Structures are given as C-alpha cells and as structure tokens.
Amino acid sequence: MMKTHKRTLTWLILLLLLAACAGPAAAPTAEEAAATEPPAATEAAAAPEEAMPIMGGECPKTGGTLRAAFQNEWAGLDPHTTSSYSSYQILNNVLEGLTFYDNDLQLIPWLAESWERSEDGRTWTLHLRQGVKFSNGREMTAEDVKWSWERLIDPATGSGNAARVGPPDTVIEVVDDYTVSVTHPEPFGIFPQSIGFDKSSGIMAPESVDEDGNVTIPIGTGPFKITELEGTTRLVLQRNEHYWQEGYPCLDEIIIQPIPDDTVRETALRGGEVDWVLSVAPQNVALLEQDPEIVVARAPQLSYDYIGINLTRAPFDDVRVRQAIAYAIDRQQLCEAGFFGLCVPIQGPTGPGSPWYFDYAPYDRDVEKARQLLAEAGYPDGIELELMPTTQYQETVRAAQVLQQQLAEAGITATINALEWSEWLEKEGNFQYDAYICNWNGLIDADQYYYLQHHTGLIFNFTGYSNPEFDRLVEEGRSISDFEERYKIYEQANKILVDDAPYVYMYNKQEIRAYRPYVKGFTVRPDQANNFWTVWLDQ
C-alpha cells in the first residue's frame, strides 16, 4: 500500500503543478483512473442502470463549424492497417468501441452495456447496447462486432494492433443480435481495457470496404462521419444524424487540415483563420498564454519520446554499445533543448505521471562509463552512428542536434538524417536505420507500454528486440486483472527492458492544445485523444 500511496501522491502533485500554470486542462485524478482494473470475473461490469453515464449534461449551444488545424497528415483511415496516431485522432470521432476511457481515464461501458468473464478466464461475453446505428442508418449488431474484430486479427490484414483483441486463433461468436462472445487461447484478463485503448478495435460497418478490399472512409457509430476527403490535405467531419447519444454532437461540422509548420499553424490561429490547433511549438507556449484571444490548455502526457536502436545491425546488437548510448546522454538537457522544458526526463517507458511508473533508473549521465562499455565491446576508439529524426516532429530534430553533441563526448560520432514523414516510416519499418527518434503515443495501461512495441516479433517492434523472459512476463501481465499483481510483474519486465536497452528513453512531454476563447467544451487528455463531440461554439 505504501507504494500505491506514493504513486498517488506523485500523480496529484504533478496535476497541481500543471493546473497552476495551465488553461482548462483535464487529467486523471488518481492512480485508479489509469489502473483500469477490470470487473471481477463472472460478474457483470456495469449494471444496466449504470450504463448510460457517457457524456452527462447537454450542449449549451448547437450548430456551427469548427476549423481545426492538425500538426500531421493522417496516414490512412483504415483503423485496422494504419499505425499513425494522427489517423486515430480523427477516427476517435468516427468509430466507437465496446468500452471507453472517459476524460478521467476511467474505463466505462460504451457500445457494450456490460460484460462478464467465464470461470476459466478465457471467454468474455459482451452485451451490446441496443438501438445504436452506424452513420449510414443501419443498426449495429453482434455480426458487425464479429466482422470488425475478425478482420483486425486476420494475419492477412497485417494489423499491428491485432493483439488488442487477441491472437489469430481467438474465436469470436455471435450469441444473438446483441451478444457476442470472445474466447482466447489463453486467459486475457485485461480484455475490456484492451478494446478501449484506441479505435483500432472500434466497430466498423462492413460496408466500409470497397471493391478492392480497401477502407478509405470508414463507417462507424461515432458522433461524426467523414463526408469529404481530399487526400491528406483536407477532411470534413459532419454530424452523424443517427448518433445514439441524444443531443450530441454539439457541432454541425469540423473542417480539418494539416498545417505542419508551427509558425504557419499558430499564425492561422491568431489571425482567426482556424479556431483550434492540435499542437503548439513548445517555445511559443508562454507567448501564446499571454494572448487574451488564445486559450492554451495542457495536460501531462503519458506517452514517451525515445531513441530506437536497430538490434539487427552491428555494433548495436551488442548490449554494451546500447548501454553506452544510454549512459552518454543528458536527459534533462534533451528535455530542455528538445521540448523547451515542458517535459519530464525518464529512463524507462513509464514516467512519474503514470501509475505504472517504476523508479529503476541506472542511466544517469556517465561519459566515462560509456567509454568503458564501448572499449569492452571492442570499440576503444568509438563508433559511428546515424540518427534518424523526422521533420514531421521538429522536437525530434532538435533532440538529434543535442544528442549529436552529447554522444561525441563519449566517442560516438553521430550524423543526422532528418527525413520527411513517409520516408521516415518506410525506413523505420524496414530496419533501414541505426537509431531513430520518435514517440510512442496514447498510453494508459502497462500493456500498451510494454507489449506491442517490445514483445518478440510483433509488428510495432521496430528495433528487433527479443528476450524470452521479458516476453513471458508481459504475456503473464495481460493474462490477469489485479493491479498490484500486475505491477509486480511489469516491474520485473521493466528492469529487463531497461537493462537490455533496445530503446533509450528520453522524456514525457506535455500535451498542449490552443484555441480561440469561443471554443468551449474541449478537454485535453493525457492519452492524446481529441474528442470533439462535446465541443460547442460560443459565438
């Protein structure tokens, strides 16, 4: 319990600090918010009378168009094949899952009103909300859930998020129109949480698939539908007239355009050309906060920025070389230079703002230790390393420039190869790099931190990391439900991962949004989800 109280206190202190200097940010209020303990086995998760909390309240005003500027282009809108979080930030408003994390990151029923688990822990039975319609007017049934999840876990689909639902031999069965059962080959204790993490496991109408088997515009049950799509330069979300939550969404329409350049995007906001921007350059936050015509809202971010090291290439297949890189860097300086101090240094994937934080931190900067490790690995004269940031995220370029100087002091000669986003993704996915810089987004549960990106052989494991003991632990961690029991398991997994150093973790950033004062009802979430259905315009 002492550990629990310590984590709670740390979390609350962080929230208070942010609240003192931020706009109307929202964040988890306690560790239980993200602990996401599932309902007890064989018991219903939510009684029917408790199954309609959802939004609460009502829109003070309806109608109007929100003009939103994103930092990034979306990389496809098929929820089963995209791996881009910019895509999911759109899909959040189009697709819905059977479970959902509310603005306090509490797991609540959504398209499912309740669920229960079998005695052997392998089968989950979920009871669907009746009367929910897709945006094309057709009612959603258990057949749609079965189709969506079977497509997601089909190896032919090639989804990196398939494990959200289960392995390929997971059996999904329709019990009746409003009941579906899911049987896993092994117990999956956090299944209700896993299907609520993001919209990869959201329910999509089969009518979304075109004659070529592709999904360009997904049809969901969400508050908005995509009515116009111009490549990756413009997208229009229009109110779903069939939406099941009476009175929502508040807006008629949202026009989304990507404006990658920070200055251009912020100038458009200040000039009134757009109403809301997804991202603010950290160096401009203080200036914007002084502008009475702009609201800057922040929340602690649960994602992490990191260096991914290619374990399929020498000399980076030697753990001593990777540890040397980890010892060579000054994370506080990286935080200051990369994100202007609006971040918290970390040495593992979880930060002090997460209930899954572990204080194992062996890599305080030690240049001599780094040199010693390189010499032991057979490189007394140092090594060469190509750093691959992306111009899509300028903070990765800034971090690379600082890393270049820090690594040089330890005998590591780094060159920088900053790539445009699509080329960067291609090289990352095909192991055509020495070390890349990026972030891992949208995190709530330990499974999201440790499983998809680190388990042997999974699609999102872009470094080629493989450790059988680590795999065993994270498999066990997702099989059970109890938070304290899981915490002990992931504490072991975290130590193995940090010691093996396939990734060098740098910092947790803050989540920052900015908008005009007449934009009301928006909440900045630590999991980076942009949910627009409660947004309304006071003008």
Short mmCIF file of all heavy atoms in Angstrom, two decimals, residues 472-498:
data_model
loop_
_atom_site.label_atom_id
_atom_site.label_comp_id
_atom_site.label_asym_id
_atom_site.label_seq_id
_atom_site.Cartn_x
_atom_site.Cartn_y
_atom_site.Cartn_z
N ARG A 472 7.73 -13.59 -21.62
CA ARG A 472 6.92 -14.38 -20.68
C ARG A 472 6.22 -13.47 -19.67
O ARG A 472 5.04 -13.64 -19.37
CB ARG A 472 7.83 -15.38 -19.95
CG ARG A 472 7.07 -16.33 -19.03
CD ARG A 472 8.00 -17.11 -18.14
NE ARG A 472 8.67 -16.29 -17.15
CZ ARG A 472 8.08 -15.82 -16.05
NH1 ARG A 472 6.82 -16.10 -15.80
NH2 ARG A 472 8.75 -15.08 -15.19
N LEU A 473 6.95 -12.48 -19.19
CA LEU A 473 6.37 -11.59 -18.18
C LEU A 473 5.23 -10.74 -18.74
O LEU A 473 4.18 -10.59 -18.10
CB LEU A 473 7.47 -10.69 -17.61
CG LEU A 473 8.46 -11.38 -16.66
CD1 LEU A 473 9.69 -10.51 -16.44
CD2 LEU A 473 7.80 -11.73 -15.34
N VAL A 474 5.43 -10.17 -19.92
CA VAL A 474 4.37 -9.30 -20.45
C VAL A 474 3.16 -10.11 -20.92
O VAL A 474 2.04 -9.59 -20.94
CB VAL A 474 4.88 -8.37 -21.57
CG1 VAL A 474 5.93 -7.41 -21.02
CG2 VAL A 474 5.43 -9.16 -22.75
N GLU A 475 3.39 -11.37 -21.29
CA GLU A 475 2.25 -12.24 -21.59
C GLU A 475 1.47 -12.53 -20.32
O GLU A 475 0.23 -12.52 -20.31
CB GLU A 475 2.74 -13.54 -22.24
CG GLU A 475 3.26 -13.36 -23.66
CD GLU A 475 4.01 -14.58 -24.16
OE1 GLU A 475 4.06 -15.60 -23.43
OE2 GLU A 475 4.56 -14.52 -25.28
N GLU A 476 2.20 -12.78 -19.23
CA GLU A 476 1.53 -13.03 -17.94
C GLU A 476 0.80 -11.77 -17.47
O GLU A 476 -0.31 -11.84 -16.96
CB GLU A 476 2.56 -13.45 -16.90
CG GLU A 476 1.95 -13.82 -15.54
CD GLU A 476 3.00 -14.22 -14.52
OE1 GLU A 476 4.21 -14.21 -14.86
OE2 GLU A 476 2.62 -14.54 -13.38
N GLY A 477 1.42 -10.62 -17.70
CA GLY A 477 0.82 -9.36 -17.25
C GLY A 477 -0.52 -9.08 -17.87
O GLY A 477 -1.40 -8.51 -17.23
N ARG A 478 -0.72 -9.47 -19.11
CA ARG A 478 -2.00 -9.21 -19.76
C ARG A 478 -3.03 -10.31 -19.51
O ARG A 478 -4.18 -10.19 -19.91
CB ARG A 478 -1.82 -9.00 -21.26
CG ARG A 478 -1.30 -10.18 -22.01
CD ARG A 478 -1.18 -10.01 -23.52
NE ARG A 478 -1.53 -8.72 -24.04
CZ ARG A 478 -2.16 -8.54 -25.22
NH1 ARG A 478 -2.50 -9.58 -25.95
NH2 ARG A 478 -2.41 -7.34 -25.65
N SER A 479 -2.58 -11.39 -18.86
CA SER A 479 -3.50 -12.51 -18.63
C SER A 479 -4.29 -12.35 -17.35
O SER A 479 -5.27 -13.05 -17.15
CB SER A 479 -2.72 -13.83 -18.60
OG SER A 479 -1.95 -13.93 -17.41
N ILE A 480 -3.85 -11.47 -16.47
CA ILE A 480 -4.51 -11.33 -15.17
C ILE A 480 -5.05 -9.91 -15.01
O ILE A 480 -4.74 -9.02 -15.78
CB ILE A 480 -3.54 -11.67 -14.02
CG1 ILE A 480 -2.30 -10.77 -14.10
CG2 ILE A 480 -3.16 -13.13 -14.06
CD1 ILE A 480 -1.29 -11.06 -13.02
N SER A 481 -5.84 -9.72 -13.93
CA SER A 481 -6.59 -8.48 -13.78
C SER A 481 -6.11 -7.62 -12.62
O SER A 481 -6.23 -6.40 -12.69
CB SER A 481 -8.07 -8.81 -13.57
OG SER A 481 -8.55 -9.61 -14.60
N ASP A 482 -5.63 -8.21 -11.56
CA ASP A 482 -5.34 -7.46 -10.34
C ASP A 482 -4.19 -6.48 -10.55
O ASP A 482 -3.11 -6.86 -11.02
CB ASP A 482 -4.98 -8.45 -9.21
CG ASP A 482 -4.67 -7.72 -7.93
OD1 ASP A 482 -5.61 -7.25 -7.29
OD2 ASP A 482 -3.46 -7.61 -7.58
N PHE A 483 -4.40 -5.21 -10.16
CA PHE A 483 -3.39 -4.18 -10.40
C PHE A 483 -2.10 -4.46 -9.66
O PHE A 483 -1.00 -4.39 -10.24
CB PHE A 483 -3.93 -2.80 -10.00
CG PHE A 483 -2.90 -1.71 -10.12
CD1 PHE A 483 -2.65 -1.11 -11.34
CD2 PHE A 483 -2.15 -1.30 -9.02
CE1 PHE A 483 -1.68 -0.12 -11.47
CE2 PHE A 483 -1.18 -0.31 -9.14
CZ PHE A 483 -0.94 0.28 -10.37
N GLU A 484 -2.17 -4.75 -8.38
CA GLU A 484 -0.96 -4.94 -7.59
C GLU A 484 -0.15 -6.13 -8.11
O GLU A 484 1.08 -6.08 -8.19
CB GLU A 484 -1.31 -5.15 -6.11
CG GLU A 484 -1.90 -3.91 -5.45
CD GLU A 484 -0.90 -2.75 -5.36
OE1 GLU A 484 0.31 -3.02 -5.43
OE2 GLU A 484 -1.35 -1.60 -5.22
N GLU A 485 -0.85 -7.19 -8.48
CA GLU A 485 -0.17 -8.37 -9.01
C GLU A 485 0.50 -8.04 -10.34
O GLU A 485 1.65 -8.42 -10.59
CB GLU A 485 -1.18 -9.51 -9.18
CG GLU A 485 -0.54 -10.85 -9.52
CD GLU A 485 -1.55 -11.98 -9.61
OE1 GLU A 485 -2.74 -11.76 -9.27
OE2 GLU A 485 -1.15 -13.07 -10.03
N ARG A 486 -0.22 -7.29 -11.15
CA ARG A 486 0.34 -6.91 -12.44
C ARG A 486 1.52 -5.96 -12.25
O ARG A 486 2.52 -6.03 -12.97
CB ARG A 486 -0.73 -6.23 -13.31
CG ARG A 486 -1.85 -7.15 -13.73
CD ARG A 486 -2.82 -6.42 -14.65
NE ARG A 486 -2.23 -6.19 -15.96
CZ ARG A 486 -2.52 -5.14 -16.73
NH1 ARG A 486 -3.37 -4.23 -16.31
NH2 ARG A 486 -1.95 -5.01 -17.91
N TYR A 487 1.43 -5.07 -11.28
CA TYR A 487 2.52 -4.10 -11.06
C TYR A 487 3.84 -4.84 -10.78
O TYR A 487 4.90 -4.47 -11.30
CB TYR A 487 2.16 -3.17 -9.90
CG TYR A 487 3.15 -2.04 -9.72
CD1 TYR A 487 2.97 -0.83 -10.39
CD2 TYR A 487 4.27 -2.18 -8.90
CE1 TYR A 487 3.87 0.21 -10.24
CE2 TYR A 487 5.18 -1.15 -8.75
CZ TYR A 487 4.98 0.04 -9.42
OH TYR A 487 5.88 1.06 -9.28
N LYS A 488 3.77 -5.89 -9.96
CA LYS A 488 4.99 -6.65 -9.63
C LYS A 488 5.57 -7.33 -10.88
O LYS A 488 6.78 -7.40 -11.05
CB LYS A 488 4.67 -7.69 -8.56
CG LYS A 488 4.30 -7.09 -7.21
CD LYS A 488 3.87 -8.16 -6.23
CE LYS A 488 3.42 -7.53 -4.90
NZ LYS A 488 2.91 -8.55 -3.96
N ILE A 489 4.69 -7.80 -11.73
CA ILE A 489 5.15 -8.46 -12.96
C ILE A 489 5.83 -7.45 -13.89
O ILE A 489 6.93 -7.69 -14.41
CB ILE A 489 3.96 -9.13 -13.67
CG1 ILE A 489 3.46 -10.31 -12.85
CG2 ILE A 489 4.35 -9.58 -15.08
CD1 ILE A 489 2.15 -10.88 -13.33
N TYR A 490 5.18 -6.32 -14.10
CA TYR A 490 5.75 -5.33 -15.01
C TYR A 490 6.99 -4.66 -14.43
O TYR A 490 7.84 -4.17 -15.18
CB TYR A 490 4.68 -4.29 -15.38
CG TYR A 490 3.66 -4.82 -16.35
CD1 TYR A 490 2.35 -5.09 -15.95
CD2 TYR A 490 4.00 -5.09 -17.67
CE1 TYR A 490 1.42 -5.59 -16.84
CE2 TYR A 490 3.08 -5.60 -18.57
CZ TYR A 490 1.79 -5.84 -18.16
OH TYR A 490 0.87 -6.36 -19.05
N GLU A 491 7.11 -4.65 -13.12
CA GLU A 491 8.34 -4.11 -12.51
C GLU A 491 9.54 -4.96 -12.93
O GLU A 491 10.62 -4.44 -13.23
CB GLU A 491 8.19 -4.08 -10.99
CG GLU A 491 9.32 -3.35 -10.29
CD GLU A 491 9.03 -3.15 -8.82
OE1 GLU A 491 8.31 -3.99 -8.23
OE2 GLU A 491 9.50 -2.16 -8.26
N GLN A 492 9.35 -6.29 -12.96
CA GLN A 492 10.41 -7.18 -13.43
C GLN A 492 10.68 -6.98 -14.92
O GLN A 492 11.84 -6.92 -15.35
CB GLN A 492 10.02 -8.63 -13.18
CG GLN A 492 9.79 -9.00 -11.73
CD GLN A 492 9.25 -10.42 -11.60
OE1 GLN A 492 9.88 -11.38 -12.04
NE2 GLN A 492 8.06 -10.55 -11.02
N ALA A 493 9.60 -6.89 -15.68
CA ALA A 493 9.76 -6.71 -17.13
C ALA A 493 10.47 -5.40 -17.44
O ALA A 493 11.33 -5.33 -18.33
CB ALA A 493 8.39 -6.76 -17.81
N ASN A 494 10.12 -4.37 -16.69
CA ASN A 494 10.72 -3.05 -16.92
C ASN A 494 12.24 -3.10 -16.70
O ASN A 494 13.01 -2.53 -17.47
CB ASN A 494 10.08 -2.04 -15.98
CG ASN A 494 10.70 -0.66 -16.11
OD1 ASN A 494 10.47 0.05 -17.08
ND2 ASN A 494 11.53 -0.28 -15.13
N LYS A 495 12.66 -3.79 -15.63
CA LYS A 495 14.11 -3.87 -15.35
C LYS A 495 14.85 -4.58 -16.48
O LYS A 495 15.92 -4.14 -16.93
CB LYS A 495 14.36 -4.57 -14.02
CG LYS A 495 15.84 -4.60 -13.63
CD LYS A 495 16.04 -5.24 -12.27
CE LYS A 495 17.52 -5.11 -11.86
NZ LYS A 495 18.45 -5.68 -12.83
N ILE A 496 14.27 -5.67 -16.96
CA ILE A 496 14.90 -6.40 -18.07
C ILE A 496 15.01 -5.50 -19.29
O ILE A 496 16.06 -5.41 -19.95
CB ILE A 496 14.07 -7.66 -18.41
CG1 ILE A 496 14.15 -8.67 -17.26
CG2 ILE A 496 14.55 -8.29 -19.72
CD1 ILE A 496 13.21 -9.84 -17.43
N LEU A 497 13.93 -4.80 -19.59
CA LEU A 497 13.90 -3.95 -20.78
C LEU A 497 14.91 -2.80 -20.68
O LEU A 497 15.66 -2.54 -21.63
CB LEU A 497 12.49 -3.38 -20.95
CG LEU A 497 12.25 -2.48 -22.16
CD1 LEU A 497 12.41 -3.28 -23.44
CD2 LEU A 497 10.86 -1.86 -22.08
N VAL A 498 14.94 -2.15 -19.53
CA VAL A 498 15.87 -1.03 -19.37
C VAL A 498 17.32 -1.53 -19.44
O VAL A 498 18.18 -0.90 -20.06
CB VAL A 498 15.59 -0.30 -18.04
CG1 VAL A 498 16.66 0.76 -17.76
CG2 VAL A 498 14.21 0.36 -18.09
#
